[in-house]
C-alpha cells in the first residue's frame, strides 16, 4: 500500500525521448556479434517516466521512488516475503500498554555533507508530515501524539491509542530526510529539493538531464555496506517496446518497470535476458460506488461479481502470470493472513440475472472508468464488458487519460472503478485506509459500522496473532458485501541482462529489484 498502494492513485507517467548514454553505441556487442562482459563501473536501468518530485516525502511516481529510495533511508526494508527487516533501525518495540513505541538506530550512517543521521532527523521527518498532513504516511500515523529523540540513536513515539500497525507503517513508508536541510523551507511539503542534494543512501544523485537520464554515484563509506556498482544510470524511454529493444541490444542492463505479460512471454526464451518473477503484494480489482443507486444494493454488487470471468482474465489478459485471491482482500502473497474459507465468486450469468431481478435492477447499465495507459487493464476491461453482456448487464467503458482517471477516482465520480493496488502489505492498516468510513483510499465509499469496529480492533492489536481473527472477519464482510471485487494477484516480471546477478527482488512493483538492498548487491555475473 499505499505509499505504494496509493501510488496507484498518484503515479504520473511521463513520455520522453531517450538518447544514448555517452560512451555507449546502439549496441555493446563486439564486431563478431558477441556481447562484451558487464562492468561494475555502471549499471544502466530503463524507465518510462521522469522524476517528478525530488522530495521523498511527497514523491508521486515510480521513478521518484526508485531514485529517492537510493538517497534517503527508511527505518526498515522488506524481505522477499514482505517481512520488515532492519535498515536505519536496528530494533523496534511497543510498551506493554501499546501507547509507546521505541526505535533504536544504527550509528554509522551519514548525510553526504558529513553530518550524522540521527534520531533528530527521524523526529523532524515524521513531525513535518504530521503537522502539514500530506502524503500517505499522514493517513497511517493518526495515532501519533508526539515523537521525541531520547538520544542520537533512539526515538520514542507517544501514541494516543494502541496501534499495532504504527511501527510497520512508519518503518517502511517514512523516508528520513536531513533536518538541517529541510527545516530551512517554510513548508516541507512544498520544498522542491531539486538541487544540491544532501542524502544518506547507497547512491547519491549527481547529474540530471530531464527526459534523458539520471546519474547516481556510489557512496563508498555507506554504513550498511558499500555497493559493488560504481555508477547507476536511469535512462528515460518513451515506452516498454523501446526499453526491450535497448535491453536486447545491450544498451541497458535492466528494465525498471514491470513488463506487460505479453512482453514477458516474448522475452522468456531470449538467452541474453533473465526474468525475475515477483509475487505482488497488491491486487487488481473492480470497485462499485456504494453511494450510487442501484449499487447501494448488495444484490446488485453480487450480481456484478458473478458476471466476471476471472479465469479468462488471468489466463488470457495476464497470460497466466496471475493467481486467484479467492475474491478476498487477504491474498496468497500474505499466507499468514489468508483465510482458507474464502471462495472466489463463480462466473454465473444466470445467477447474476436472478440477483438483479430480486433487486428490481434488470437491464442494468453502468459505466466503468480505467486508466487507458495501463496495459493490463486495457486488455481485460473489454473482457469485463463482454462477460457482463451474458448477464444482461451493459457496461460502458471509459478508458481515460491518467490525470482524468485519477481525478474521477479521487472525487468518487464513477459507477465502477477498475484499478490495482501496488502494495497492501499490512492488512489492519491497509483495510483501514481502503474500507473504513472516511478512509483515505475508500473509493467505493464503504460505510459499515461492523466493519469499522473490526478494523479498529485489529489495529489496536499489538501482535499479528491478536489481529488475525478480526481482520479475517473484516475480509469476509468485504467479500460477502462485495465492497471490493478482487480479480487476481499478479506475478510480476522484471527483465535484466544475464550479464548481471545479485538482485534482491521484493514483492512490489514499486520496489521490485530497484530497492536499495538489491541495487547495492547487484554485480556482474561470472
Amino acid at each position: 500500500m499505499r505509499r505504494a498502494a496509493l501510488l496507484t492513485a498518484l503515479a504520473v507517467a511521463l513520455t520522453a525521448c531517450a538518447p544514448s548514454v555517452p560512451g555507449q553505441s546502439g549496441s555493446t556487442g563486439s564486431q563478431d556479434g558477441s556481447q562484451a562482459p558487464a562492468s561494475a563501473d555502471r549499471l544502466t536501468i530503463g524507465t518510462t517516466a521522469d522524476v517528478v518530485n525530488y522530495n521523498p516525502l511527497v514523491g508521486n511516481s515510480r521513478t521518484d521512488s526508485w531514485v529517492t529510495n537510493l538517497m534517503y533511508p527508511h527505518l526498515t526494508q522488506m524481505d522477499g516475503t514482505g517481512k520488515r527487516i532492519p535498515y536505519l533501525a536496528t530494533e523496534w518495540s511497543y510498551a506493554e500498554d501499546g501507547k509507546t513505541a521505541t526505535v533504536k538506530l544504527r550509528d554509522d550512517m551519514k548525510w553526504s555533507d558529513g553530518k550524522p543521521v540521527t534520531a533528530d532527523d527521524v523526529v523532524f521527518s515524521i513531525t513535518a508530515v504530521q503537522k502539514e498532513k500530506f502524503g500517505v504516511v499522514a493517513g497511517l500515523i493518526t495515532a501519533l501524539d508526539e515523537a521525541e529523540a531520547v538520544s542520537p540513536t533512539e526515538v520514542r513515539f507517544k501514541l494516543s491509542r494502541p496501534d499495532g500497525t504504527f511501527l510497520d507503517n512508519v518503518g517502511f513508508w517514512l523516508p528520513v530526510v536531513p533536518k538541517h536541510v529541510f527545516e530551512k523551507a517554510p513548508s516541507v511539503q512544498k520544498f522542491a529539493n531539486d538541487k544540491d542534494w544532501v542524502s544518506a543512501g547507497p547512491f547519491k544523485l549527481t547529474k540530471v538531464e530531464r527526459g534523458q537520464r539520471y546519474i547516481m554515484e556510489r557512496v563508498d563509506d555507506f554504513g550498511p555496506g558499500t555497493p559493488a556498482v560504481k555508477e547507476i544510470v536511469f535512462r528515460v524511454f518513451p515506452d516498454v517496446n523501446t526499453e526491450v529493444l535497448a535491453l536486447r541490444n545491450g544498451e541497458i542492463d535492466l528494465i525498471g518497470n514491470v513488463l506487460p505479460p505479453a512482453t514477458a512471454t516474448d522475452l522468456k526464451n531470449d538467452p541474453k535476458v533473465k526474468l525475475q518473477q515477483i509475487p505482488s503484494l497488491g491486487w487488481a480489482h473492480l470497485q462499485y460506488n456504494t453511494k450510487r443507486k442501484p449499487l447501494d444494493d448488495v444484490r446488485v454488487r453480487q450480481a456484478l461479481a458473478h458476471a466476471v470471468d476471472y479465469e479468462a482474465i488471468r489466463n488470457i489478459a495476464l497470460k497466466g502470470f496471475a493467481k486467484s485471491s479467492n475474491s478476498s482482500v487477504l491474498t496468497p502473497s500474505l499466507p499468514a493472513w489468508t483465510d482458507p474459507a474464502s471462495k472466489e465468486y463463480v462466473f454465473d450469468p444466470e445467477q447474476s440475472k436472478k440477483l438483479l431481478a430480486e433487486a428490481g435492477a434488470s437491464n442494468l447499465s453502468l459505466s466503468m472508468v480505467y486508466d487507458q495507459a495501463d496495459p493490463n487493464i486495457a486488455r481485460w476491461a473489454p473482457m469485463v464488458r463482454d462477460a457482463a453482456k451474458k448477464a444482461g448487464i451493459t457496461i460502458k467503458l471509459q478508458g481515460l487519460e491518467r490525470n482524468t482517471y485519477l481525478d474521477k477516482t479521487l472525487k468518487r465520480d464513477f459507477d465502477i472503478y477498475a484499478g490495482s493496488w501496488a502494495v497492501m502489505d499490512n492488512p489492519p492498516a491497509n483495510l483501514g485506509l481502503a474500507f473504513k468510513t472516511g478512509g483515505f483510499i475508500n473509493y467505493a465509499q464503504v460505510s459499515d459500522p461492523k466493519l469499522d469496529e473490526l478494523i479498529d480492533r485489529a489495529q489496536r492489536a499489538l501482535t499479528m496473532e491478536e489481529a488475525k481473527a478480526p481482520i479475517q472477519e473484516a475480509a469476509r464482510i468485504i467479500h460477502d458485501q462485495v465492497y471490493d471485487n478482487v480479480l487476481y494477484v499478479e506475478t510480476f516480471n522484471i527483465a535484466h541482462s544475464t550479464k548481471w546477478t545479485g538482485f534482491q527482488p521484493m514483492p512490489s512493483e514499486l520496489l521490485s529489484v530497484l530497492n536499495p538492498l538489491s541495487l547495492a548487491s547487484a554485480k556482474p555475473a561470472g
Side-chain angles (χ1 to χ4, degrees), residues 243-503:
E243 285 181 309
V244 169
L245 181 61
L247 179 64
R248 283 178 154 160
N249 287 342
E251 295 177 47
I252 62 175
D253 305 300
L254 166 67
I255 295 176
N257 39 287
V258 169
L259 298 177
T263 304
T265 300
D266 290 340
L267 280 175
K268 68 180 180 180
N269 294 321
D270 189 322
K272 298 178 183 177
V273 175
K274 179 176 177 56
L275 293 182
Q276 291 263 19
Q277 293 195 335
I278 308 163
S280 174
L281 280 175
W283 62 80
H285 58 159
L286 298 172
Q287 288 198 325
Y288 310 113
N289 193 334
T290 63
K291 296 302 183 186
R292 288 191 178 181
K293 292 185 178 299
L295 296 168
D296 59 339
D297 190 321
V298 64
R299 294 169 296 183
V300 173
R301 299 194 298 272
Q302 290 172 343
L304 287 163
H306 281 298
V308 178
D309 191 338
Y310 304 94
E311 277 298 310
I313 287 174
R314 291 191 290 263
N315 291 332
I316 298 172
L318 274 292
K319 302 291 185 181
F321 293 117
K323 294 180 180 179
S324 170
S325 76
N326 295 317
S327 296
S328 175
V329 293
L330 300 178
T331 74
S333 297
L334 294 173
W337 293 94
T338 303
D339 182 359
S342 186
K343 303 297 180 185
E344 185 168 76
Y345 278 92
V346 177
F347 176 45
D348 187 345
E350 293 307 313
Q351 178 66 6
S352 292
K353 292 177 182 178
K354 179 182 177 182
L355 287 164
L356 290 174
E358 290 176 3
S362 298
N363 301 314
L364 186 62
S365 179
L366 301 166
S367 63
M368 184 172 86
V369 299
Y370 67 95
D371 177 5
Q372 63 186 4
D374 186 308
N376 288 347
I377 299 179
R379 284 180 64 88
W380 57 251
M383 298 176 68
V384 172
R385 175 197 61 199
D386 295 345
K389 285 180 182 177
K390 297 178 181 179
I393 301 170
T394 299
I395 294 180
K396 301 173 183 176
L397 300 183
Q398 290 186 304
L400 304 172
E401 179 272 331
R402 181 71 177 170
N403 289 335
T404 304
Y405 166 74
L406 295 178
D407 184 62
K408 280 187 169 290
T409 300
L410 294 172
K411 291 179 179 177
R412 281 55 168 172
D413 182 17
F414 59 84
D415 293 328
I416 304 173
Y417 155 84
S420 60
W421 298 136
V423 181
M424 299 293 261
D425 61 321
N426 185 316
N430 304 149
L431 299 195
L433 287 170
F435 302 106
K436 192 175 173 182
T437 302
F440 187 70
I441 52 173
N442 184 351
Y443 297 152
Q445 302 192 80
V446 174
S447 184
D448 186 321
K450 176 62 174 175
L451 186 59
D452 290 348
E453 189 274 328
L454 288 166
I455 293 172
D456 281 343
R457 185 160 25 123
Q459 290 182 343
R460 289 194 298 269
L462 300 183
T463 67
M464 196 202 78
E465 290 73 20
E466 292 178 82
K468 187 171 182 177
I471 216 66
Q472 286 188 336
E473 187 176 348
R476 285 192 285 273
I477 291 175
I478 294 167
H479 173 282
D480 295 346
Q481 294 292 318
V482 199
Y483 291 144
D484 201 351
N485 187 7
V486 183
L487 306 182
Y488 59 83
V489 175
E490 185 175 356
T491 300
F492 294 130
N493 286 278
I494 301 291
H496 65 82
S497 167
T498 54
K499 295 187 294 182
W500 286 86
T501 188
F503 295 111

Side-chain angles (χ1 to χ4, degrees), residues 26 31 37 125 200 218 228 294 320 364 463 503 510 516:
Q31 290 183 347
S125 301
R218 178 175 69 192
L364 186 62
T463 67
F503 295 111
L510 289 168

